[in-house]
Amino acid sequence: MSKLISVDEIQDGMVLAEPIQNRFGHTLLGANIKLEAKHVKFLKSCGIQTIYIVDENENSSNKQYDSETLEKAKAILSQRVTWRPKNDYENELIEIATQQILEKM
Amino acid sequence: MDVIKKIIEGVNNLPTLPTVYTNLSQAMENPNTTKEEIARIISADQAATFKILKVANSPFYGLRGRIDTITQALLYLGFNEVKNIVFALSIINAFSKNKIFKKFKPLDLWAHSIGVGVATRLIGAAVGEKNLENYFLAGIFHDIGKLVFFEYVPNDYAKVIELVESKKIPIKDAELEILGLNHARAGQLIAEKWKLPQSVVNIVSSHHTGLIGNNVNTLLASVHLGDIVARSLDLGYGGDNFIPEPNIKVWEILKLPKGFFASARKKMKDDYERLTKIMLSE
């Protein structure tokens, strides 16, 4: 899975998730290249401002939240969801909505 | 019913869609048109071509290879999908994006609509639908009625938006209260005027309930659910903050794998980011 970052945020060791092409379709950098600081200047000179890197932190969504934050999120959610989930699918929907609220806080 | 009159008049005097789309539509209706001619019609509009290729190459379509030409786009995505992309781009550019409204602007609506388009298509793919070509467009188009309101009765719509804020009610209810009709109905008028496929007209008129009469169809169910998912993930803004309750019948029609929402969440957000960038930039 990939993560969108600004070219300024490139750090050594990041891996390019997809090839970067210019508007003529020429590949400037191929996918899976290990990025280094030297790439920043090059990309900027080609007018590239954002790139996709391989996201190692898939588990960032399992971050632990304290109970006060969770309570706040629940309160926000109850303004937006005025119904009770009736099955697993609806529970999942509520979960992703809650996750979204927590991430925005 | 001053407002409704204004709306119907507006719909009758709709801005003409860009040449590339009307030429393309006509060419595609003619069974003698070759695919080279179709590619040529699209390629004649450089700005459209550039955007279509970018959309075609986005991970949204899962095509790892490079799509360098319109001919390849037609080959890999299919004629109808490409035509739908051209159409979506045409209508986005036909209406003014930058109207000054507080809280809710046309640009927010387009972002929400693209979000619903993304979610709808991913849902359709997840339930194994073979023919996905109208899924993205149906999602993008579902709230077109709101655009009609922005465009033709802006002062009244500003009051609608204020009512949403003050009474904390869904925008479709506020529309009914102030305008006498909601965006599903207004959208249906415009979809019929533009002679869109009946399946898309149904989406516009019935996406809140997810039903046509008592029948559920997969596309409609997907848009109904796609709208709810897009709101859950804050993909754009549809005019109010509510996350509506899904129609219980959609779960019978859409046999989604367990854990689908959690696992598709990231892809939906990523695809949404990319496509809004491509499609909403000048």
Side-chain angles (χ1 to χ4, degrees), chain A residues 4-5 26 29 36 41 46 86 91 101 103:
Chain A
L4 181 69
I5 62 164
H26 300 141
L29 279 183
E36 297 166 48
K41 215 167 161 197
C46 297
K86 304 176 289 297
N91 276 322
I101 292 170
E103 282 177 15

PDB file of all heavy atoms in Angstrom, chain A residues 4-5 26 29 36 41 46 86 91 101 103:
ATOM      1  N   LEU A   4       1.072   8.978   0.167  1.00  0.00           N
ATOM      2  CA  LEU A   4       1.424  10.179  -0.597  1.00  0.00           C
ATOM      3  C   LEU A   4       2.219  11.132   0.288  1.00  0.00           C
ATOM      4  O   LEU A   4       1.788  11.481   1.373  1.00  0.00           O
ATOM      5  CB  LEU A   4       0.129  10.860  -1.053  1.00  0.00           C
ATOM      6  CG  LEU A   4       0.277  12.124  -1.898  1.00  0.00           C
ATOM      7  CD1 LEU A   4       0.830  11.781  -3.260  1.00  0.00           C
ATOM      8  CD2 LEU A   4      -1.077  12.802  -2.064  1.00  0.00           C
ATOM      9  N   ILE A   5       3.401  11.503  -0.178  1.00  0.00           N
ATOM     10  CA  ILE A   5       4.177  12.481   0.594  1.00  0.00           C
ATOM     11  C   ILE A   5       4.704  13.570  -0.331  1.00  0.00           C
ATOM     12  O   ILE A   5       4.756  13.393  -1.550  1.00  0.00           O
ATOM     13  CB  ILE A   5       5.386  11.842   1.322  1.00  0.00           C
ATOM     14  CG1 ILE A   5       6.375  11.249   0.309  1.00  0.00           C
ATOM     15  CG2 ILE A   5       4.946  10.820   2.350  1.00  0.00           C
ATOM     16  CD1 ILE A   5       7.724  10.960   0.917  1.00  0.00           C
ATOM     17  N   HIS A  26       7.475   9.601 -20.038  1.00  0.00           N
ATOM     18  CA  HIS A  26       8.824   9.052 -19.834  1.00  0.00           C
ATOM     19  C   HIS A  26       9.045   8.788 -18.355  1.00  0.00           C
ATOM     20  O   HIS A  26       8.738   9.630 -17.519  1.00  0.00           O
ATOM     21  CB  HIS A  26       9.895  10.030 -20.326  1.00  0.00           C
ATOM     22  CG  HIS A  26       9.746  10.341 -21.789  1.00  0.00           C
ATOM     23  ND1 HIS A  26       9.944  11.603 -22.301  1.00  0.00           N
ATOM     24  CD2 HIS A  26       9.412   9.563 -22.846  1.00  0.00           C
ATOM     25  CE1 HIS A  26       9.738  11.568 -23.611  1.00  0.00           C
ATOM     26  NE2 HIS A  26       9.410  10.348 -23.959  1.00  0.00           N
ATOM     27  N   LEU A  29      11.858   7.949 -12.648  1.00  0.00           N
ATOM     28  CA  LEU A  29      12.374   7.026 -11.635  1.00  0.00           C
ATOM     29  C   LEU A  29      11.466   5.813 -11.609  1.00  0.00           C
ATOM     30  O   LEU A  29      10.247   5.958 -11.606  1.00  0.00           O
ATOM     31  CB  LEU A  29      12.348   7.665 -10.233  1.00  0.00           C
ATOM     32  CG  LEU A  29      13.472   8.614  -9.838  1.00  0.00           C
ATOM     33  CD1 LEU A  29      13.268   9.052  -8.394  1.00  0.00           C
ATOM     34  CD2 LEU A  29      14.835   7.936  -9.962  1.00  0.00           C
ATOM     35  N   GLU A  36      16.935   8.354  -1.909  1.00  0.00           N
ATOM     36  CA  GLU A  36      17.955   9.023  -1.107  1.00  0.00           C
ATOM     37  C   GLU A  36      17.784  10.522  -1.281  1.00  0.00           C
ATOM     38  O   GLU A  36      17.069  10.971  -2.162  1.00  0.00           O
ATOM     39  CB  GLU A  36      19.362   8.656  -1.602  1.00  0.00           C
ATOM     40  CG  GLU A  36      19.709   7.209  -1.485  1.00  0.00           C
ATOM     41  CD  GLU A  36      20.954   6.894  -2.302  1.00  0.00           C
ATOM     42  OE1 GLU A  36      21.954   7.638  -2.188  1.00  0.00           O
ATOM     43  OE2 GLU A  36      20.921   5.923  -3.075  1.00  0.00           O
ATOM     44  N   LYS A  41      16.497  16.740  -5.161  1.00  0.00           N
ATOM     45  CA  LYS A  41      16.842  17.845  -6.075  1.00  0.00           C
ATOM     46  C   LYS A  41      16.393  17.510  -7.496  1.00  0.00           C
ATOM     47  O   LYS A  41      15.816  18.335  -8.203  1.00  0.00           O
ATOM     48  CB  LYS A  41      18.364  18.021  -6.059  1.00  0.00           C
ATOM     49  CG  LYS A  41      18.819  19.450  -6.193  1.00  0.00           C
ATOM     50  CD  LYS A  41      20.301  19.573  -5.847  1.00  0.00           C
ATOM     51  CE  LYS A  41      20.880  20.859  -6.412  1.00  0.00           C
ATOM     52  NZ  LYS A  41      22.348  20.809  -6.444  1.00  0.00           N
ATOM     53  N   CYS A  46      12.489  18.479 -11.943  1.00  0.00           N
ATOM     54  CA  CYS A  46      11.540  18.013 -12.965  1.00  0.00           C
ATOM     55  C   CYS A  46      10.132  18.508 -12.667  1.00  0.00           C
ATOM     56  O   CYS A  46       9.177  18.152 -13.356  1.00  0.00           O
ATOM     57  CB  CYS A  46      11.504  16.477 -13.012  1.00  0.00           C
ATOM     58  SG  CYS A  46      13.059  15.765 -13.494  1.00  0.00           S
ATOM     59  N   LYS A  86     -27.364  -2.896  12.765  1.00  0.00           N
ATOM     60  CA  LYS A  86     -28.206  -4.085  12.881  1.00  0.00           C
ATOM     61  C   LYS A  86     -27.466  -5.373  12.532  1.00  0.00           C
ATOM     62  O   LYS A  86     -28.006  -6.458  12.657  1.00  0.00           O
ATOM     63  CB  LYS A  86     -29.435  -3.944  11.971  1.00  0.00           C
ATOM     64  CG  LYS A  86     -30.248  -2.672  12.258  1.00  0.00           C
ATOM     65  CD  LYS A  86     -31.407  -2.492  11.298  1.00  0.00           C
ATOM     66  CE  LYS A  86     -31.001  -2.131   9.883  1.00  0.00           C
ATOM     67  NZ  LYS A  86     -30.305  -0.824   9.771  1.00  0.00           N
ATOM     68  N   ASN A  91     -21.822  -2.601  11.698  1.00  0.00           N
ATOM     69  CA  ASN A  91     -20.812  -2.385  12.739  1.00  0.00           C
ATOM     70  C   ASN A  91     -19.497  -1.942  12.123  1.00  0.00           C
ATOM     71  O   ASN A  91     -18.825  -1.043  12.619  1.00  0.00           O
ATOM     72  CB  ASN A  91     -20.573  -3.669  13.547  1.00  0.00           C
ATOM     73  CG  ASN A  91     -21.591  -3.816  14.659  1.00  0.00           C
ATOM     74  OD1 ASN A  91     -21.982  -2.837  15.287  1.00  0.00           O
ATOM     75  ND2 ASN A  91     -22.030  -5.037  14.907  1.00  0.00           N
ATOM     76  N   ILE A 101     -12.978   9.727  12.466  1.00  0.00           N
ATOM     77  CA  ILE A 101     -13.121  10.820  13.428  1.00  0.00           C
ATOM     78  C   ILE A 101     -11.875  10.908  14.307  1.00  0.00           C
ATOM     79  O   ILE A 101     -11.336  11.992  14.553  1.00  0.00           O
ATOM     80  CB  ILE A 101     -14.383  10.629  14.293  1.00  0.00           C
ATOM     81  CG1 ILE A 101     -15.634  10.792  13.419  1.00  0.00           C
ATOM     82  CG2 ILE A 101     -14.416  11.623  15.454  1.00  0.00           C
ATOM     83  CD1 ILE A 101     -16.922  10.398  14.113  1.00  0.00           C
ATOM     84  N   GLU A 103      -8.853   9.928  13.657  1.00  0.00           N
ATOM     85  CA  GLU A 103      -7.683  10.399  12.912  1.00  0.00           C
ATOM     86  C   GLU A 103      -7.715  11.903  12.682  1.00  0.00           C
ATOM     87  O   GLU A 103      -6.682  12.546  12.556  1.00  0.00           O
ATOM     88  CB  GLU A 103      -7.584   9.653  11.568  1.00  0.00           C
ATOM     89  CG  GLU A 103      -7.012   8.264  11.732  1.00  0.00           C
ATOM     90  CD  GLU A 103      -6.980   7.482  10.428  1.00  0.00           C
ATOM     91  OE1 GLU A 103      -7.133   8.104   9.360  1.00  0.00           O
ATOM     92  OE2 GLU A 103      -6.790   6.259  10.499  1.00  0.00           O
TER      93      GLU A 103
END
